[in-house]
Structures are given as C-alpha cells and as structure tokens.
C-alpha cells in the first residue's frame, strides 16, 4: 500500500494539499517525501501534534484563506 500511495495524485490535488511541518517534530520527518509529490508547505513552531496555539494561529488562517 505504501508503495502506491501517491500513484493517483492529480494536479488538482497538488493545488489543494498542504503539508504542515513542525520545527521540533522528533517523531516523524516526512517533509522530503511530501515535497516529492506536493509543493505547498507551512512550517510552524512546535512538536508533532498540533496544539491549540498552532491550530488557532496557523491551521485556521490557512483554512480560511483556502476555503472558497
């Protein structure tokens, strides 16, 4: 399954998918793999899990600018 997870990505997917990567994530570092298939990335200060501050300051504004 992992080998084929990106097989059907469309240009529309690339326009709509954003990767959020924390500067102190010690659990997962998937940015380089993500950037092989997508190009929209946001970096935030924090760890692996989104906390209330990141949700309020980063995620919600991103959603608000992208929802039409």
């Amino acid at each position: 399954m992992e080998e084929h997870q990106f097989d059907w990505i469309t240009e529309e997917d690339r326009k709509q998918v954003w990767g959020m990567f924390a500067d102190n994530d010690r659990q997962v570092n998937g940015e380089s793999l993500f950037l092989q298939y997508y190009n929209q990335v946001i970096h935030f200060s924090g760890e692996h899990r989104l906390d209330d501050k990141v949700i309020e300051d980063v995620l919600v504004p991103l959603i608000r600018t992208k929802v039409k």
Side-chain angles (χ1 to χ4, degrees):
M1 186 168 102
E2 188 174 326
E3 182 180 334
H4 297 284
Q5 65 184 330
F6 299 109
D7 286 356
W8 304 106
I9 294 173
T10 66
E11 285 305 313
E12 189 63 24
D13 295 331
R14 287 183 178 92
K15 292 176 187 174
Q16 295 182 21
V17 174
W18 285 77
M20 294 181 64
F21 297 95
D23 56 9
N24 292 314
D25 190 336
R26 291 180 178 86
Q27 292 183 4
V28 178
N29 185 353
E31 185 173 2
S32 60
L33 176 60
F34 181 87
L35 288 171
Q36 290 177 31
Y37 301 95
Y38 302 101
N39 59 10
Q40 300 184 109
V41 171
I42 291 180
H43 295 100
F44 63 91
S45 180
E47 297 181 13
H48 182 71
R49 299 185 195 287
L50 302 178
D51 61 22
D52 292 345
K53 181 167 178 40
V54 173
I55 291 170
E56 184 177 332
D57 294 347
V58 180
L59 180 59
V60 170
L62 175 64
I63 293 168
R64 286 186 173 146
T65 62
K66 302 304 170 194
V67 173
K68 297 175 181 160

